[in-house]
Amino acid sequence: MKTFVNVEDIGDLKAAVKEALEVKANRFGYKSLGENKTLLMVFFNSSLRTRLSTQKAAMNLGMNVIVLDVNQGAWKLETERGVIMDSDKSEHLLEAIPVMGSYCDVIGVRSFARFENKKDDYEEKILQQFIQYSGKPVFAMETATVHPLQAFADLITIEEFKKVERPKVVLTWAPHPKALPQAVPNSFAQWMDATDYDFVITHPKGYELDPKFAGNARIEYDQDKALEGADFVYAKNWSAYTDPNYGQILCKDMSWTVTTEKMALTNNAFFMHCLPVRRNMIVSDDVIESAQSIVIPEAANREISAQVVLKRILEQL
């Protein structure tokens, strides 16, 4: 595996989950793979779970780890071609990326959507430059459009907690005070669509995801109807994808908050969220603190998803 961006990169999902559970049971069993190998984690945006879990996963595999916070510990980087660099940006990615590649064996990149230009965001210009110019395997630690490490961890978590072979999984939009990217819901939808789960997406009209990520998911605009009989409820906010409202907040309808009353419509569903979560906007206190909330095991599995990805990359070096 040279890149990890989309669900296709992981191959057979059942095999990937099986491998994840084996890794989880023996986290240090593959430590020789990373001996004398270096992971460079490049952050254009802030992080808590991704940074800690991916670094821990690399350490489990015996790797050295370098963390670069571009906005705090490096020159300001120009990302566009053809510009006259007479502003506050001192270095271009086209020089910085191959330099970074010379110091490591594997690169993880985190770079969010800017909401300035939908085409630029969805072409993943920053990530693609790393893939093209670094000369090293590259994996996404959340980008403008995807967060595959999170989606893989979500899949592992559902497989661990499911009580029926084909659970009903509902991805529900929920209100938020800021405009958030579609990366997490895009990847969750993409990965769930690749399973045989009964998968439903519910959101107000105007919040439709890119069809290439939503895939064959059933779309339901009535949240209560969508939640009926659900085994897992995954709450997440995202801003509008469709033009001319790309990156905008269309509403903050608090009736979409996941509450005890909403969860009562489900089949005693487990509650999931990628974190960080805005309490009493996305989800009420009583739901996220309930016995059915699995947000902490879900977050813990971020270490496992990252370790499987790094393991597979190291096995091919």
Side-chain angles (χ1 to χ4, degrees), residues 78-93:
E78 178 58 64
T79 60
E80 299 298 320
R81 301 181 72 101
V83 298
I84 297 173
M85 291 178 57
D86 59 354
S87 67
D88 61 342
K89 296 177 180 177
S90 303
E91 186 164 6
H92 201 286
L93 268 184

Side-chain angles (χ1 to χ4, degrees), residues 248-268:
Q248 296 181 19
I249 297 174
L250 303 183
C251 74
K252 296 181 183 178
D253 186 350
M254 294 294 288
S255 71
W256 283 77
T257 300
V258 178
T259 62
T260 298
E261 291 73 24
K262 295 285 187 179
M263 293 297 286
L265 300 170
T266 72
N267 183 29
N268 196 28

Side-chain angles (χ1 to χ4, degrees), residues 7 57 100 110-111 117 125 135 153 187 205 215 233 251 254 316:
V7 67
M100 293 181 202
R110 184 176 179 92
S111 178
N117 183 299
K125 284 191 170 183
S187 278
K205 290 186 177 181
V233 175
C251 74
M254 294 294 288
Q316 295 185 14

Side-chain angles (χ1 to χ4, degrees), residues 284-302:
S284 63
D285 286 333
D286 50 355
V287 170
I288 198 168
E289 293 176 13
S290 74
Q292 293 303 104
S293 174
I294 54 174
V295 297
I296 302 305
E298 180 186 2
N301 276 332
R302 290 293 310 279

Side-chain angles (χ1 to χ4, degrees), residues 44 77-79 91-98 126 129-130:
F44 290 84
L77 295 175
E78 178 58 64
T79 60
E91 186 164 6
H92 201 286
L93 268 184
L94 291 177
E95 287 76 58
I97 289 173
I126 291 177
Q129 287 184 78
F130 273 90

Side-chain angles (χ1 to χ4, degrees), residues 2-3 40 42 93-109 126-139:
K2 292 284 289 182
T3 59
L40 172 61
V42 183
L93 268 184
L94 291 177
E95 287 76 58
I97 289 173
V99 169
M100 293 181 202
S102 70
Y103 300 145
C104 65
D105 301 282
V106 183
I107 300 177
V109 179
I126 291 177
L127 178 69
Q128 290 303 324
Q129 287 184 78
F130 273 90
I131 292 171
Q132 185 173 357
Y133 299 116
S134 69
K136 298 295 164 66
V138 173
F139 65 95

